[in-house]
Amino acid sequence: MKKKRSFLEGFAAVPHSAWCLLFIIAPLLFVVYFAFTDTYGNFTFDNITMLSSYTHIFVLSVCFALIATVICLIIGYPLAFFISQCKPQTQKIVVVLLMLPMWISLLIRTYSLMAILDNGGLLNSLFEMIGIGRVKIIGTSGAVILGMVYDFLPYMVLPIYTSISKLDPRYLEAASDLGCNSAKTMLHVVFPLSVPGIVSGVTMVFVPSISTFYISQKLGGGSFDLIGDTIERQFQNVSTYNIGAAISLVMMILILISVAIMNKFSDDGGEIIV
């Protein structure tokens, strides 16, 4: 039988409920409203049908986000496993060092990366010193993807590290007793049990990567138009609010799908493959 909430418990939830209503539900409703109305407030599907002209932008954004997510996974999983194998005190130090960039504004981090990758930046200065010559980096797809990896890598490492560090060491002992070497233990025990962390990390990297606009503007040099850039541009003009809302609605659906997938895998909790 469910326990009825007391008056104080219900009253304590009022600020949280009001916050969700004003800053989460209401903005989402406004997005849906503008997506299905024209500039005069009349109901229409024209904004949705016009999205076909933005297909290449959606495809490019998804491709960039997927590449950045895969790179973060390739780098982040070994790093998370390495951290989990360190001494407890060392783990704390490494985790703090990993989180330090997250305490700095994304804008400042992106500007710092620009100072390194720019034509007259530190990296090109180093290339000149060793005789390679200047290399154009800013304004390329590689610079945009590098910016995504640089800014969102901690979001991949931390969930995976949490999953691996919580593994029962008896599983590893049992695998060793049954004749598994380090590679087989990693493949058949550690990796399956860390799947929830992987899915969480993939979602936490993919979602901001697909919706980013500042990274593509600064590191892409205006050469790439991603979904975030398109939404920002549409909302800068009052006459195109409705199209921007329609694109935002598609973004919301993509994010909800990603979160649903994350929750499904997180609930499954991983399964040991024998």
Side-chain angles (χ1 to χ4, degrees):
M1 185 174 66
K2 287 186 177 181
K3 182 182 177 182
K4 296 182 67 174
R5 289 194 303 176
S6 66
F7 173 77
L8 289 177
E9 289 175 334
F11 183 76
V14 169
H16 175 72
S17 301
W19 177 275
C20 291
L21 179 64
L22 292 174
F23 298 106
I24 298 178
I25 298 176
L28 294 180
L29 292 177
F30 277 120
V31 169
V32 174
Y33 168 77
F34 281 110
F36 291 100
T37 56
D38 58 18
T39 53
Y40 301 102
N42 300 317
F43 180 81
T44 180
F45 282 106
D46 290 345
N47 301 320
I48 304 299
T49 57
M50 288 180 62
L51 293 182
S52 58
S53 59
Y54 297 93
T55 302
H56 64 289
I57 295 177
F58 280 99
V59 172
L60 183 63
S61 300
V62 171
C63 288
F64 275 27
L66 284 175
I67 294 172
T69 302
V70 170
I71 295 174
C72 284
L73 180 59
I74 293 173
I75 299 174
Y77 195 94
L79 179 58
F81 181 78
F82 168 77
I83 297 173
S84 67
Q85 301 304 303
C86 295
K87 297 178 180 179
Q89 189 62 33
T90 305
Q91 290 184 31
K92 294 177 182 178
I93 296 173
V94 177
V95 169
V96 169
L97 292 175
L98 186 67
M99 293 178 63
L100 275 177
M102 300 171 64
W103 300 348
I104 304 173
S105 169
L106 176 67
L107 185 149
I108 297 175
R109 281 183 284 158
T110 305
Y111 263 112
S112 300
L113 194 59
M114 286 178 61
I116 297 174
L117 303 179
D118 201 9
N119 291 335
L122 296 175
L123 189 60
N124 271 308
S125 299
L126 177 62
F127 286 161
E128 281 195 326
M129 289 176 58
I130 61 178
I132 297 178
R134 294 181 182 272
V135 178
K136 177 178 172 56
I137 302 175
I138 298 294
T140 64
S141 58
V144 177
I145 295 171
L146 177 61
M148 294 178 180
V149 173
Y150 170 72
D151 284 320
F152 304 132
L153 180 61
Y155 298 128
M156 179 68 74
V157 177
L158 293 177
I160 298 176
Y161 160 72
T162 302
S163 292
I164 296 177
S165 62
K166 289 182 178 180
L167 292 181
D168 192 333
R170 290 177 296 182
Y171 287 137
L172 306 182
E173 294 174 3
S176 178
D177 292 340
L178 293 172
C180 288
N181 55 27
S182 299
K184 288 185 177 180
T185 300
M186 172 64 71
L187 180 62
H188 297 294
V189 179
V190 177
F191 183 80
L193 291 175
S194 61
V195 165
I198 294 173
V199 175
S200 297
V202 167
T203 306
M204 293 174 66
V205 172
F206 179 78
V207 170
S209 295
I210 198 175
S211 59
T212 186
F213 62 94
Y214 192 79
I215 295 174
S216 56
Q217 289 177 0
K218 297 304 178 183
L219 299 181
S223 303
F224 302 95
D225 204 11
L226 304 184
I227 296 178
D229 304 309
T230 305
I231 293 174
E232 183 197 27
R233 186 172 60 253
Q234 301 297 335
F235 278 104
Q236 287 176 345
N237 190 340
V238 177
S239 62
T240 56
Y241 266 20
N242 306 88
I243 299 175
I247 300 174
S248 300
L249 181 61
V250 175
M251 282 295 304
M252 286 166 49
I253 295 173
L254 289 175
I255 291 173
L256 288 175
I257 292 173
S258 300
V259 172
I261 294 173
M262 180 189 72
N263 289 336
K264 180 181 183 303
F265 279 89
S266 296
D267 292 339
D268 290 344
E271 182 178 337
I272 299 178
I273 303 173
V274 181

